[in-house]
């Protein structure tokens, strides 16, 4: 049996990984906007990218490497997504890396920010050339990748697979637009010293996606730049498949939950549990419809136990359902049960108490089968509009 | 050749139709909340209802009538949707009509408002019994059916099919939540004295739906109560199929456009024209994705020509597309053309001027075929959140 326990610090807690972030002149407010991850040995790398048809230039640049390539360097900038920039966008990355003074192998670029502006290559190059690749400044990196994020997102775990044998795995991430069927970019960089075989890396990533990042955004409705990157330097020499898969899932779940809670002004993180649906696909369809409904989100913001919007959203999602089998609860407060409205003054007050919490569940028992799925969402208030009305400036 | 010209007034402009609205005690602010449409002869009737799986009680009550039934009375209330109310909801409608003092045939009920509260039968009955069925108070009716609507929605046309031979057709409607993939109820009541054969009524309704109400909301993501009702008393004795289909489409288009412009705080009505898509289905998918994207809507609110969000939304919609064939324009200001960003200070200023208008087009030339579709949407600002955060009270 393995144990997974959280430890402090950033991804540079792992032996052999280095990182930092600086202000390279991209953000007008002087905040960090350029960062790197460096490894002192070559790493195996796997990635999951957006399904958006207009993948940004850095994603195309990555995919042009030969299958099975190794790398020791990731350069990340915010404020400019290098998306919708065509072949010029890719040329800019190649030009940048060609002029880099550091000796790195198969460098990877990752970008987030405004779509449709040319990459400011000279600023980024000057910044990147000023890096000290032996830095251990995880906080600096985590700030450099933020856009509308209200706080930095990172985690680190130590996984003991048997007494005295352990590996580490951790991540740094950005993403705060998961509040909606969204196009806000999600980036997540995961490092590990687990001795994971290359062939296990992609399956582990994909298995974890389903219940983590995919549960906080709508399939297919994704940014041009969404990226989850896993770097493994194998230095611990330790590996256990089950432990690694579970630890990776925990890391990605942590990052996903921090993104939900940081939903561009959101105050509440809500789990939409759909249970007893006919199929898992239907459970997922309904759960995501709930977590993405504007009318549900604004009711959560208003702390209004308006369960009619919950029911209507389920009905509109076109899954197999019937009023006669549906049960809706806020945490343990049942408000609708199989065709019966249980909503009196007392129940409304109890439900209202639940809605005042910062975290709670909305449970929808469809009563048509045994499949379930939980999606995570948040409320939507004035702050969201403020953040997104004039994002580019 | 026929001519269609607008005339003043409400649906009671048509000989044989009567209507009015009153305050029956449902809305706390004392505004009208109950209305009726009465015809002094039996009318043929057809309806299109929501695809939501949880159809409200009034929709089930209607569908329990025998196919081909005729009617002379429609009762409409706001503030309570009589949805998620099970068999009791239907029983309440039957109880109400059984106690009605007016002599009406196959009465129809229509409701909008909060989901999940029992219908206040006594208040509605008292109100309905106070009606004078010979009233001609279209304004009163139009106010009675409003929920979050900022203004009343109605139109009336006279259609001349040949010299001296004409019929009339008009509508009264409510709906203001078309701002989002929405659950806000849309009700539209259309009356005509055209001598339309019963068998033409449903096809005419369905043909018009595609480019009108379906273009302002997402298929399937509909309220529990959405209803379009067409009543024909045939009194003019005049009919021409082509003229009737076109006039009905105009009436429904008018109502749809008024709903878009009244998008719960919206200030801008925007046409999202997707042209040269591979198939019409793909054109529709992309156009609706644009009109429903939160990030696009908030950028419109901020008058920010952030065309990257337009591009990203098209890419996320998973239609056939490529950066190399895509052209994006705000009215006639081209900002992105086949892989080239045309966005300099001058173009940005021109695009900014377009975005300051109350009505404009965003044209996306996909360059993959010859199919097109236009969806209509609006901006999303603080007012939307305010209206929806605490709708029930």
């Amino acid at each position: 049996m393995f144990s997974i326990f959280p430890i402090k610090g950033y991804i540079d807690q792992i032996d052999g990984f280095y990182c930092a972030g600086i202000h390279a002149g991209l953000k007008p407010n002087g905040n960090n906007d350029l960062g790197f991850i460096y490894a002192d040995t070559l790493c195996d790398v796997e990635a999951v990218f957006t399904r958006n048809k207009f993948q940004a230039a850095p994603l195309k640049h990555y995919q042009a490497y030969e299958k099975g390539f190794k790398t020791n360097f990731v350069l990340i900038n915010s404020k400019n997504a290098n998306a919708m920039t065509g072949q010029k966008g890719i040329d800019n990355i190649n030009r940048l890396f060609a002029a880099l003074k550091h000796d790195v192998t198969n460098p990877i670029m990752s970008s987030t920010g405004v779509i449709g502006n040319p990459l400011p290559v000279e600023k980024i190059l000057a910044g990147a050339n000023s890096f000290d690749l032996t830095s251990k400044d995880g906080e600096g990196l985590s700030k450099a990748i933020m856009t509308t994020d209200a706080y930095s997102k990172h985690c680190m775990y130590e996984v003991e697979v048997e007494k005295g044998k352990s590996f580490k795995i951790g991540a740094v991430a950005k993403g705060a637009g998961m509040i909606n069927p969204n196009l806000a970019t999600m980036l997540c960089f995961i490092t590990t010293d687990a001795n994971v075989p290359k062939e296990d890396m992609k399956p582990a990533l994909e298995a974890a996606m389903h219940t983590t990042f995919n549960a906080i955004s709508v399939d297919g409705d994704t940014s041009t730049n969404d990226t989850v990157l896993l770097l493994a330097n194998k230095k611990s020499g330790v590996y256990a498949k089950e432990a690694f898969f579970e630890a990776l899932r925990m890391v990605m779940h942590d990052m996903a939950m921090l993104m939900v809670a940081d939903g561009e002004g959101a105050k509440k993180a809500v789990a939409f549990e759909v249970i007893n649906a006919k199929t898992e696909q239907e459970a997922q369809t309904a759960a995501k419809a709930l977590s993405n409904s504007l009318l549900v989100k604004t009711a959560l913001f208003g702390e209004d136990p308006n369960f009619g919007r919950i029911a209507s959203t389920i009905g509109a999602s076109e899954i197999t359902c019937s009023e006669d089998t549906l049960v809706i609860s806020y945490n343990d407060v049942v408000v609708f049960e199989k065709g019966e409205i249980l909503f009196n003054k007392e129940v409304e007050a109890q439900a209202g108490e639940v809605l005042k919490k910062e975290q709670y569940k909305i449970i929808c028992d469809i009563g048509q089968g045994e499949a379930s799925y939980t999606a995570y969402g948040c409320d939507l208030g004035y702050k969201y509009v403020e953040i997104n009305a004039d994002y580019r400036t």
Side-chain angles (χ1 to χ4, degrees), chain A:
Chain A
M1 198 48 207
F2 57 87
S3 341
I4 302 176
F5 46 97
I7 57 177
K8 284 197 177 164
Y10 290 84
I11 56 172
D12 50 13
Q13 284 294 306
I14 301 177
D15 188 33
F17 284 107
Y18 305 85
C19 62
I22 58 160
H23 173 66
L26 306 178
K27 285 181 184 164
N29 63 6
N31 285 350
N32 283 5
D33 47 29
L34 187 70
F36 75 88
I37 301 169
Y38 174 72
D40 59 13
T41 53
L42 288 182
C43 296
D44 273 344
V45 58
E46 281 292 357
V48 179
F49 294 122
T50 182
R51 284 195 243 165
N52 194 299
K53 293 268 178 128
F54 297 133
Q55 288 196 338
L59 282 61
K60 294 178 189 162
H61 174 263
Y62 176 102
Q63 288 164 100
Y65 281 124
E66 270 181 45
K67 215 171 138 79
F69 79 100
K70 290 172 187 278
T71 184
N72 61 358
F73 189 70
V74 185
L75 182 64
I76 310 145
N77 74 280
S78 52
K79 196 64 193 167
N80 185 308
N82 197 6
M84 299 307 288
T85 48
Q87 182 60 41
K88 278 184 198 162
I90 301 170
D91 294 345
N92 276 338
I93 297 172
N94 285 322
R95 193 154 64 85
L96 199 164
F97 282 143
L100 203 65
K101 72 166 199 187
H102 307 292
D103 181 22
V104 296
T105 304
N106 299 327
I108 295 168
M109 183 99 202
S110 186
S111 301
T112 178
V114 176
I115 297 167
N117 285 343
L119 197 69
V121 175
E122 306 314 322
K123 283 183 185 175
I124 291 177
L125 181 60
N129 277 338
S130 78
F131 283 139
D132 172 2
L133 295 195
T134 62
S135 305
K136 291 258 188 185
D137 175 20
E139 189 181 348
L141 169 63
S142 87
K143 285 183 177 163
I145 67 179
M146 286 162 69
T147 55
T148 56
D149 303 65
Y151 45 80
S152 124
K153 296 166 185 74
H154 60 96
C155 69
M156 179 55 65
Y157 289 98
E158 184 151 1
V159 185
E160 197 175 64
V161 301
E162 59 184 270
K163 193 153 177 73
K165 286 196 168 182
S166 67
F167 65 82
K168 291 190 182 119
I169 185 166
V172 59
K174 66 87 47 176
M178 302 302 154
I179 190 164
N180 80 317
N182 67 79
L183 304 165
T185 288
M186 182 271 294
L187 300 180
C188 179
F189 305 98
I190 305 164
T191 57
T192 184
D193 60 4
N195 194 24
V196 51
K198 168 79 174 165
E199 64 267 24
D200 277 6
M201 289 170 67
K202 192 80 180 235
L205 272 179
E206 286 175 348
M209 282 302 288
H210 183 57
T211 55
T212 60
F213 294 121
N214 281 348
I216 61 168
S217 79
V218 166
D219 280 351
D221 199 359
T222 52
S223 153
T224 49
N225 292 59
D226 290 346
T227 299
V228 181
L229 198 73
L230 171 61
L231 294 168
N233 71 3
K234 329 271 178 133
K235 283 202 177 187
S236 72
V238 175
Y239 184 66
K241 185 169 177 175
E242 195 189 343
F244 182 79
F245 272 61
E246 177 56 19
L248 181 63
R249 200 199 59 76
M250 279 180 67
V251 164
M252 287 165 65
H253 187 262
D254 279 10
M255 293 300 98
M257 289 306 103
L258 286 174
M259 289 179 199
V260 165
D262 188 8
E264 297 189 341
K267 296 248 168 60
K268 294 161 192 304
V270 182
F272 296 92
E273 280 193 21
V274 172
I275 61 175
N276 296 323
K278 193 172 179 189
T279 65
E280 199 194 335
Q281 183 56 55
E282 289 199 354
Q284 187 174 349
T285 297
K288 289 194 174 187
L290 289 168
S291 70
N292 286 293
S293 160
L294 263 180
L295 290 178
V296 170
K297 283 163 160 308
T298 47
L300 302 182
F301 174 74
E303 299 183 348
D304 180 13
N306 189 341
F307 79 92
R309 290 189 183 170
I310 306 282
S312 185
T313 303
I314 293 170
S317 76
E318 301 202 342
I319 67 161
T320 309
C321 57
S322 155
E323 287 178 53
D324 298 334
T325 63
L326 181 69
V327 183
I328 300 175
S329 322
Y330 295 90
N331 279 347
D332 53 357
V333 182
V334 183
V335 292
F336 183 85
E337 186 167 28
K338 300 180 181 177
E340 291 287 329
I341 299 166
L342 305 181
F343 213 57
N344 55 33
K345 284 261 176 276
E346 197 187 335
V347 171
E348 179 164 358
Q350 289 168 356
E353 285 305 309
V354 174
L355 283 161
K356 285 183 189 150
K357 294 179 194 287
E358 288 189 5
Q359 296 197 331
Y360 53 89
K361 290 178 187 184
I362 295 177
I363 305 156
C364 301
D365 185 339
I366 308 296
Q368 299 282 333
E370 295 180 352
S372 60
Y373 190 86
T374 302
Y376 301 89
C378 56
D379 59 326
L380 184 150
Y382 301 109
K383 190 80 184 167
Y384 178 86
V385 176
E386 186 187 321
I387 290 171
N388 283 297
D390 197 12
Y391 172 59
R392 295 186 313 136
T393 53

